[in-house]
Amino acid sequence: MTTTYHIPVLLKESVDGLNIKPDGIYVDVTFGGGGHSKEILSRLGAKGHLYSFDQDADAEQNVKAQGLADDPRFTFVRSNFRYLKNWMKYHEVDHVDGLLADLGVSSHHFDDESRGFSFRFDAPLDMRMNKRASQTAADLLNHAEETKLADIFYIYGELKNARRLAAAITKRRSEKAILTTQDLIEVVGPMIPKDREKKELAKVFQAIRIEVNHEMDALREMLKGAADVLGEGGRLSIITYHSLEDRIVKNVMKTGNAEGKVSQDFFGRIQSPFMLVNSKVTIPSEEEQQQNPRSRSAKLRIAEKK
């Protein structure tokens, strides 16, 4: 394990956004390195409680590293956050006072050569957040239909040459399986302009990762569950990194649904379970962006349950 697993982004701003009550019940659905969870716990009293979710076994190791294993106010849930509502029911929690989510991929994942998240290393194409999941990135690339691959690149990577990329992958895999990050780069590299190589490769890898981990479906389910488990006045504090997830979060906070469909009452008021706390997104300071490059695309949105 690397010395610094993950540097929390917008730490103070995101936890401030929860408007923490010392005896409240809170949820951090993206435990990661434990930075946000530790900050939340530092603001809770003896009667407060924090439930933290993460599906990655590596993240679970950080519970002890952060000194949280013996804290009676803390419960770690080894699960995908899409099952938020089920787990709260399991723990007999009727309502929570706030939920925090840092939706970005942990820097640990990008730095771990064995996981296949980054094009910086030649590694097996895995990309599973949860190592217990069955489908790897290699499975997807070698078996998905060409039209599905094209859709994945276009929707999740916003790549204009999605069809060409999918066709090239389909042709290559008929001759030889695509098993490593280097195999993938060899296939898509010729179709990427050299002056945009890093940005375009990042989009290719992002699209595959999102599909392998069903990230957008999980996000929609988590937000739907959050609307149900948050008590009146409860806060949502969510950090996003790319336009796809940010659009879903913004839509849910404004309209109550991921599609952004506006429903109005008799008086023309938008029917949403949430009220925006910061109508303008919060972004990291220049100092934070310099210290933590991962934070440069971060946006913090905060909403309160009506």
Side-chain angles (χ1 to χ4, degrees):
M1 186 179 294
T2 52
T3 305
T4 303
Y5 182 97
H6 176 74
I7 302 170
V9 171
L10 288 163
L11 179 61
K12 184 180 184 298
E13 296 89 342
S14 60
V15 178
D16 282 351
L18 292 174
N19 195 25
I20 287 177
K21 297 184 290 187
D23 59 349
I25 299 174
Y26 293 88
V27 182
D28 176 358
V29 295
T30 49
F31 181 74
H36 288 106
S37 284
K38 194 168 185 179
E39 180 64 23
I40 292 170
L41 281 165
S42 75
R43 305 187 191 193
L44 290 179
K47 293 183 179 179
H49 202 90
L50 172 67
Y51 294 87
S52 291
F53 284 66
D54 209 296
Q55 60 186 331
D56 195 330
D58 289 354
E60 190 170 7
Q61 301 302 313
N62 292 319
V63 173
K64 188 177 288 186
Q66 289 283 13
L68 305 180
D70 299 320
D71 193 328
R73 305 170 303 158
F74 178 76
T75 301
F76 183 81
V77 181
R78 171 87 187 276
S79 176
N80 189 304
F81 61 38
R82 72 193 305 167
Y83 304 116
L84 166 70
K85 190 175 177 180
N86 291 347
W87 279 104
M88 290 299 96
K89 189 175 182 181
Y90 173 81
H91 285 290
E92 300 181 337
V93 175
D94 295 327
H95 73 275
V96 302
D97 297 293
L99 181 147
L100 183 145
D102 179 359
L103 298 177
V105 179
S106 169
S107 50
H108 166 76
H109 288 131
F110 286 128
D111 293 338
D112 186 342
E113 298 182 27
S114 67
R115 302 290 290 272
F117 283 97
S118 174
F119 54 83
R120 290 183 291 139
F121 312 110
D122 186 16
L125 279 165
D126 191 325
M127 297 197 197
R128 292 172 298 171
M129 299 284 194
N130 179 2
K131 294 178 185 177
R132 298 178 294 188
S134 57
Q135 180 180 248
T136 65
D139 294 331
L140 174 71
L141 291 170
N142 287 293
H143 301 293
E145 292 183 4
E146 184 176 326
T147 52
K148 182 176 180 178
L149 287 175
D151 286 346
I152 290 167
F153 290 131
Y154 185 74
I155 297 169
Y156 296 150
E158 299 177 299
L159 289 152
K160 294 178 181 178
N161 59 346
R163 289 184 180 178
R164 288 181 61 214
L165 292 170
I169 288 168
T170 306
K171 182 176 184 297
R172 166 65 183 268
R173 75 188 188 193
S174 67
E175 302 161 357
K176 182 184 175 184
I178 301 168
L179 301 175
T180 69
T181 54
Q182 191 57 44
D183 290 343
L184 177 59
I185 292 168
E186 285 175 8
V187 179
V188 302
M191 285 169 282
I192 295 175
K194 288 297 177 186
D195 61 333
R196 298 204 308 272
E197 188 174 37
K198 285 186 178 179
K199 283 190 176 180
E200 295 294 293
L201 277 177
K203 288 181 179 181
V204 169
F205 275 66
Q206 171 186 290
I208 297 167
R209 188 202 77 229
I210 287 173
E211 176 64 23
V212 167
N213 295 288
H214 307 292
E215 291 178 32
M216 296 301 106
D217 291 337
L219 177 58
R220 291 186 187 94
E221 288 183 39
M222 183 273 285
L223 290 170
K224 189 173 185 297
D228 292 334
V229 303
L230 275 172
E232 185 179 342
R235 292 283 186 92
L236 269 184
S237 183
I238 301 182
I239 304 166
T240 66
Y241 293 84
H242 57 75
S243 59
L244 299 170
E245 61 192 15
D246 188 59
R247 193 177 304 130
I248 291 173
V249 171
K250 180 174 68 174
N251 285 344
V252 168
M253 287 183 172
K254 284 188 174 181
T255 67
N257 60 79
E259 295 73 33
K261 294 177 182 175
V262 176
S263 176
Q264 297 177 322
D265 64 13
F266 179 78
F267 300 101
R269 294 173 298 201
I270 294 176
Q271 298 282 77
S272 172
F274 298 110
M275 172 179 67
L276 294 178
V277 172
N278 63 335
S279 53
K280 185 178 180 182
V281 296
T282 301
I283 61 173
S285 65
E286 287 187 20
E287 183 182 1
E288 179 174 357
Q289 291 183 45
Q290 288 175 0
Q291 291 176 350
N292 184 8
R294 177 180 167 273
S295 72
R296 288 172 187 165
S297 59
K299 293 178 180 178
L300 172 64
R301 294 185 184 274
I302 304 166
E304 184 171 295
K305 179 80 176 288
K306 292 179 182 175

